[in-house]
């Protein structure tokens, strides 16, 4: 792909803007030699204003989504894309969230520009377990584990029962729940079906990829080994 198109697709501007960047000598190689639009050079040597180019397509990243931001692109309020460099919002191929977390849910959120990978992660067939940690308004009754594991729980207004889910009780009002689906408000509705109410909810892992110590609002690019962890049991 021509350099102008490649750099424009990363969100640095229109092709006209990028042509202007070349003309004004702001695109160089690692030694500071000015590059021209028809040069053919290795990706990793290209600098814009002395900074390496953003990662090429095939980008997957994880964020610790804070509370109070939505996963939508269009919401007029605070959105997860506001936490990324502005260029990432206009990349082509587009960088999308892998599923969504509610505004009031925090924790592990993935983004990718790889459509096939996105579908592999969210497809119920892939059986990727998403683990949520919840604090609850009332003490657990004791029968929730069995209810969620049964594969027969029907959420309000739905006709298809939920796939079995695994509950780990961490305290009287504190539990971890592993689900393989991603239905609307699923975890909150599951606890509601068990007569409880979720007060706080955080996603702590997807497959074997854990949120770890990433602070709220921070994000980082995943390497291929970390992406593979998503599909590891
Ligand atoms: N389940 C919910 O209820 N909310 C989320 O954000 C994710 C899963």
């Amino acid at each position: 792909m021509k350099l102008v198109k490649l750099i424009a697709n990363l969100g640095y501007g229109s092709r006209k803007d990028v042509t202007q960047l070349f003309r004004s000598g702001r695109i160089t190689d690692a030694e500071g030699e000015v590059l021209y639009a028809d040069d053919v050079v290795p990706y990793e040597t290209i600098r814009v204003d002395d900074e390496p180019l953003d990662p090429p397509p095939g980008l997957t990243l994880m964020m610790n989504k804070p509370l109070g931001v939505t996963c939508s692109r269009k919401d007029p309020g605070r959105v997860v894309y506001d936490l990324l460099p502005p260029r990432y919002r206009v990349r082509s191929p587009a960088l999308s969230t892998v599923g969504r977390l509610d505004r009031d849910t925090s924790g592990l959120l993935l983004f990718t520009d790889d459509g096939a990978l996105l579908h592999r992660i969210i497809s119920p067939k892939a059986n990727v377990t998403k683990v949520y940690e919840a604090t609850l308004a009332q003490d657990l009754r004791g029968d929730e584990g069995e209810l969620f594991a049964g594969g027969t729980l029907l959420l309000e207004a739905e006709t298809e029962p939920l796939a079995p889910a695994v509950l780990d009780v961490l305290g009287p009002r504190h539990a971890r729940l592993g689900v393989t689906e991603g239905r609307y408000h699923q975890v909150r509705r599951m606890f509601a079906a068990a007569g409880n109410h979720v007060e706080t909810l955080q996603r702590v892992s997807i497959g074997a990829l854990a949120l770890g110590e990433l602070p709220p609002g921070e994000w980082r690019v995943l390497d291929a080994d970390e992406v593979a962890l998503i599909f590891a049991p």
Side-chain angles (χ1 to χ4, degrees):
M1 187 185 295
K2 293 263 169 59
L3 273 185
V4 170
K5 182 158 193 268
L6 181 135
I7 296 172
N9 283 352
L10 293 174
Y12 286 83
S14 64
R15 291 196 209 185
K16 200 167 152 196
D17 297 333
V18 174
T19 304
Q20 196 49 47
L21 288 178
F22 274 104
R23 292 225 170 99
S24 43
R26 290 169 61 189
I27 303 185
T28 61
D29 67 12
E31 276 73 50
E33 284 293 316
V34 169
L35 292 176
Y36 290 83
D38 54 359
D39 284 341
V40 178
V41 288
Y43 188 97
E44 58 284 0
T45 64
I46 304 172
R47 304 283 182 273
V48 179
D49 293 335
D50 295 326
E51 296 292 330
L53 278 185
D54 292 342
L59 173 64
T60 299
L61 54 91
M62 65 184 268
M63 176 185 282
N64 183 351
K65 178 194 167 298
L67 297 173
V69 297
T70 62
C71 290
S72 148
R73 276 176 201 281
K74 293 184 194 133
D75 193 292
R78 294 150 138 254
V79 298
V80 288
Y81 291 94
D82 296 336
L83 299 165
L84 298 172
R87 280 198 297 274
Y88 281 39
R89 211 178 184 142
V90 289
R91 284 171 63 107
S92 173
L95 189 64
S96 306
T97 63
V98 179
R100 290 180 170 210
L101 290 178
D102 302 337
R103 185 196 295 268
D104 298 329
T105 304
S106 62
L108 180 57
L109 179 67
L110 299 176
F111 294 73
T112 188
D113 63 6
D114 178 340
L117 174 68
L118 188 152
H119 286 108
R120 260 183 82 208
I121 300 171
I122 63 174
S123 161
K125 283 190 207 130
N127 239 15
V128 173
T129 300
K130 278 92 46 180
V131 177
Y132 295 84
E133 217 169 289
T135 58
L136 303 160
Q138 291 166 55
D139 286 0
L140 288 154
R141 300 185 304 218
D143 64 342
E144 295 85 350
E146 206 177 319
L147 179 70
F148 296 159
T152 54
L153 180 62
L154 206 52
L155 293 177
E156 212 179 296
E158 293 200 6
T159 52
E160 189 70 25
L162 289 174
V166 177
L167 185 77
D168 269 327
V169 175
L170 305 174
R173 296 185 181 191
H174 190 194
R176 222 176 253 155
L177 181 60
V179 303
T180 55
E181 298 166 290
R183 300 202 202 176
Y184 181 67
H185 289 172
Q186 180 169 339
V187 174
R188 292 173 203 279
R189 290 163 75 208
M190 287 173 75
F191 281 106
N196 214 322
H197 176 76
V198 169
E199 291 206 316
T200 69
L201 189 61
Q202 182 187 37
R203 182 155 64 191
V204 295
S205 61
I206 299 178
L209 179 71
L211 178 60
E213 299 300 311
L214 192 65
E218 301 276 308
W219 60 275
R220 64 181 180 79
V221 174
L222 297 182
D223 64 27
D225 290 343
E226 291 174 307
V227 171
L229 281 178
I230 296 167
F231 301 101

